[in-house]
């Protein structure tokens, strides 16, 4: 061995020795700095990350629990993907858990950025939901450590509560009218109206593909014209029976060809809807320019978005009026608040996705963000049944059309794991049932 190598070896050894010596002091210094920065809180590590699956209302909810080195201190985050819950649980338990264990609970953005690229391939519904569970749970922990509700960490309140819309509808005009009147009596100022299921399949008579033995008999069938006519008739009826003041919303749910959706939006203009949702599938985002040129009906879009490529252009070119992302589908609260900030500069308001397939933790995350952002538009709300409220103590609640959260630190929602285990996921895996045109052509659901 050359002398130089030997000397170098010695130098390195010495350096290592010195470092070893230095390590404890560096840790001590870091702990001291940390304690100063956090008013005496000890640095905390993540000790476990797990996905909890439960269905107290028959809907496949997935919530991520992040446990820490402080006994009893944990965070909860929504990772609900109703159609693929088991894949999200695997992404969390098999990948995010080993990735996050031992890391700091505090550096939420750093964790998000690294977990986001830890799969190299990214921006998909399964991984984003896993990320969201981890992300939201870290915000929950930070709120608990700070002794503050998360909205306070986001800058405090811009409003006293969260204005919501509720779902009303029915198979025929009378039922829809009665349902809207009930919603108004409950205090809702904003009401979404649907005629039967999405695309009003019950109005479509013939399912020729079934007679031809194409597809499965369980496949659903819908034709374009009956839906378009039925929807215009519904708006006419509701406006004439429920008045002009109630704000009406409708979800086209990407069920008809883009040009038909443009025609429908134009014909609904005279009923001044609060917004028309998902006129197109994300694959047809290119049609928004044409729509904007044709009508000034307010447009909401985004529940199916998983990637910035889908929302940045629509917002920055002011091609939509409400961004409706499903917060866990985009990767969590850290992403949604950036989407909200982007929206503010182009006056695109929020209308986060909030139906039954968002857990109470996810609804709380929606509401905390809704309280803190200036460009809040409206929040979709659901009623949590008793079982759900028992499994998730601290659920947000709706009164007089406003969603309220409790002022507890974090998101204020807990999860009773024992009780959650009593409501296993339904047998049916959850995939979306095919929808077909009368000739059997597959329709975007
Ligand atoms: C809505 C949505 C939902 C989705 C459902 C998918 O506007 O609330 O369109 O109803 O269809 O969340 O699982
Ligand atoms: Mg929708």
């Amino acid at each position: 061995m050359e002398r130089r190598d030997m000397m170098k070896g010695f130098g390195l050894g010495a350096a290592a020795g010195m470092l070893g010596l230095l390590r404890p002091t560096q840790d001590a210094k870091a702990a001291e700095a940390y304690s100063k920065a956090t008013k005496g809180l000890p640095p905390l590590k993540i000790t476990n990350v797990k996905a909890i699956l439960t269905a107290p209302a028959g809907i496949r909810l997935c919530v991520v629990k992040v446990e820490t080195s402080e006994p009893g201190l944990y965070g909860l985050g929504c990772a609900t993907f109703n159609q693929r819950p088991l894949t999200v649980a695997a992404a969390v338990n098999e990948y995010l858990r080993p990735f996050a264990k031992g890391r700091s609970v505090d550096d939420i953005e750093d964790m998000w950025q690294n977990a986001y690229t830890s799969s190299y391939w990214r921006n998909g519904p399964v991984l984003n939901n896993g990320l969201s569970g981890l992300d939201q749970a870290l915000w929950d922990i930070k709120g608990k450590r700070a002794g503050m509700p998360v909205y306070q960490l986001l800058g405090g309140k811009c409003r006293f509560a969260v204005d919501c819309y509720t779902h009303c509808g029915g198979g025929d005009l009378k039922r829809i009218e009665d349902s809207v009147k009930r919603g108004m009596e409950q205090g809702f100022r904003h009401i979404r109206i649907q005629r039967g299921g999405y695309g009003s399949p019950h109005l479509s008579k013939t399912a020729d593909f079934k007679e031809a033995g194409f597809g499965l008999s369980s496949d659903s069938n819908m034709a374009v014209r009956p839906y378009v006519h039925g929807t215009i008739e519904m708006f006419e009826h509701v406006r004439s029976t429920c008045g002009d003041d109630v704000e009406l919303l409708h979800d086209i749910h990407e069920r008809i060809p883009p040009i038909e959706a443009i025609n429908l939006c134009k014909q609904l203009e005279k009923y001044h809807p609060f917004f028309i949702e998902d006129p197109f599938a994300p694959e047809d985002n290119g049609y928004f320019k044409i729509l904007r040129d044709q009508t000034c009906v307010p447009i909401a879009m985004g529940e199916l978005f998983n990637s910035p490529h889908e929302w940045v252009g629509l917002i920055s070119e002011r091609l939509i009026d409400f961004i409706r992302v499903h917060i866990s589908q985009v990767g969590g609260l850290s992403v949604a608040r950036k989407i909200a900030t982007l929206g503010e500069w182009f006056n695109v308001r929020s209308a986060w996705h909030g139906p039954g397939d968002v857990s109470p933790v996810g609804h709380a995350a929606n509401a905390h963000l809704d309280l803190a952002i200036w460009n809040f538009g409206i929040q979709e709300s659901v009623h949590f049944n008793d079982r759900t409220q028992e499994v998730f103590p601290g659920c947000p609640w709706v009164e007089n059309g406003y969603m309220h959260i409790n002022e507890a630190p974090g998101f204020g929602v807990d999860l009773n794991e024992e009780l959650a285990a009593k409501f296993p996921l339904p047998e049916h895996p959850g995939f979306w049932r095919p929808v077909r045109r009368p000739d059997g052509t597959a329709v975007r659901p």
Side-chain angles (χ1 to χ4, degrees):
M1 173 192 261
E2 295 289 319
R3 198 166 74 77
R4 191 163 347 100
D5 298 340
M6 196 165 64
M7 293 307 290
K8 215 191 291 162
F10 174 75
L12 273 178
M18 295 299 291
L19 260 183
L21 280 175
L22 273 179
R23 183 82 249 153
T25 35
Q26 254 178 342
D27 282 354
K29 271 213 181 75
E32 195 199 326
Y34 184 92
S35 160
K36 251 209 217 86
T38 58
K39 295 198 179 58
L41 292 172
L44 273 195
K45 299 287 182 224
I46 293 172
T47 53
N48 191 20
V49 177
K50 64 180 176 184
I52 298 162
L53 298 170
T54 183
I59 299 172
R60 301 163 195 80
L61 306 178
C62 179
V63 169
V64 170
K65 185 172 189 175
V66 171
E67 294 165 341
T68 74
S69 48
E70 181 178 317
L73 178 61
Y74 56 86
L76 299 173
C78 187
T80 297
F81 182 7
N82 181 44
Q83 288 77 2
R84 295 285 186 278
L86 303 178
T87 58
V88 175
V92 171
N93 296 335
E94 306 306 326
Y95 299 97
L96 288 180
R97 172 189 288 153
F99 178 86
K101 268 176 102 168
R103 293 180 187 278
S104 154
V105 297
D106 287 290
D107 307 329
I108 302 178
E109 184 63 24
D110 178 67
M111 174 69 84
W112 194 92
Q113 294 295 344
N114 288 299
Y116 172 60
T117 52
S118 68
S119 53
Y120 188 49
W121 281 271
R122 49 198 180 260
N123 285 324
V126 172
L127 299 181
N128 277 1
N129 270 283
L131 261 178
S132 165
L134 174 62
D135 175 73
Q136 290 183 13
L138 294 180
W139 279 100
D140 193 24
I141 290 170
K142 194 173 276 297
K144 288 175 179 173
R145 301 200 77 202
M148 291 181 192
V150 170
Y151 75 78
Q152 288 291 13
L153 305 179
L154 300 173
K157 285 182 180 173
C158 283
R159 50 202 58 78
F160 78 94
V162 177
D163 209 352
C164 291
Y165 71 87
T166 188
H167 293 180
C168 290
D172 60 52
L173 298 177
K174 188 67 182 92
R175 282 200 181 89
I176 297 168
E177 172 194 336
D178 295 345
S179 163
V180 170
K181 286 180 175 164
R182 275 195 303 281
M184 293 166 77
E185 278 149 25
Q186 289 162 7
F188 287 97
R189 292 155 293 281
H190 301 79
I191 292 180
R192 188 186 84 165
I193 51 175
Q194 304 290 136
R195 190 166 184 172
Y198 293 124
S200 310
H202 71 296
L203 297 179
S204 300
K205 298 287 169 273
T206 60
D208 303 336
F209 73 85
K210 291 193 181 181
E211 272 132 46
F214 184 80
L216 291 185
S217 55
S218 58
D219 295 352
S220 160
N221 159 63
M222 72 152 285
V224 173
R225 208 53 53 217
Y227 162 68
V228 170
H229 285 160
T231 303
I232 297 165
E233 205 182 25
M234 170 178 67
F235 270 85
E236 177 64 37
H237 183 81
V238 171
R239 275 289 174 237
S240 58
T241 56
C242 302
D244 263 343
D245 297 340
V246 58
E247 296 282 7
L248 297 177
L249 299 74
H250 177 71
D251 193 345
I252 295 179
H253 216 268
E254 50 165 4
R255 286 280 169 122
I256 53 180
I259 198 63
E260 294 292 349
I262 293 173
N263 275 323
L264 177 56
C265 287
K266 288 173 73 167
Q267 295 179 68
L268 294 179
E269 232 175 64
K270 62 177 172 287
Y271 303 111
H272 52 85
F274 182 79
F275 72 49
I276 299 296
E277 175 185 349
D278 286 6
F280 315 129
E283 295 84 351
D284 293 316
N285 271 1
Y287 270 91
F288 277 101
K289 281 201 176 64
I290 306 170
L291 177 66
R292 260 319 195 221
D293 294 343
Q294 299 271 339
T295 170
C296 55
V297 157
I299 298 294
M301 182 75 180
E303 70 182 52
L304 280 167
F305 290 171
N306 297 111
S307 160
H309 303 299
E310 295 169 306
W311 60 75
V312 170
L314 290 184
I315 292 176
S316 57
E317 294 163 45
R318 299 181 177 86
L319 293 172
I320 58 174
D321 305 285
F322 296 88
I323 183 70
R324 251 188 73 61
V325 297
H326 181 113
I327 291 188
S328 70
Q329 286 285 355
V330 296
L333 181 63
S334 294
V335 180
R337 74 188 181 111
K338 292 171 193 168
I339 294 174
T341 305
L342 176 67
E344 182 175 332
W345 300 117
F346 300 96
N347 217 331
V348 173
R349 290 166 282 166
S350 71
W352 314 124
H353 194 228
D357 48 344
V358 172
S359 74
V361 178
H363 278 277
N366 284 349
H368 278 262
L369 186 56
D370 288 334
L371 286 169
I373 58 177
W374 170 77
N375 53 323
F376 165 75
I378 193 76
Q379 179 59 59
E380 182 176 20
S381 67
V382 289
H383 170 69
F384 301 116
N385 67 13
D386 296 349
R387 296 196 315 186
T388 304
Q389 293 184 40
E390 281 156 31
V391 171
F392 293 94
C395 283
W397 68 98
V398 177
E399 224 169 80
N400 187 28
Y402 285 107
M403 186 182 285
H404 299 267
I405 46 113
N406 61 50
E407 296 289 340
F411 288 127
V413 179
D414 204 352
L415 172 55
N416 179 330
E417 283 188 65
E418 221 178 300
L419 205 49
K422 292 205 171 78
F423 305 110
L425 302 189
E427 281 294 304
H428 186 279
F431 52 71
W432 199 276
R433 214 155 45 96
V435 181
R436 298 179 183 280
R437 295 265 180 271
D439 69 355
T441 305
V443 174
R444 294 267 153 75

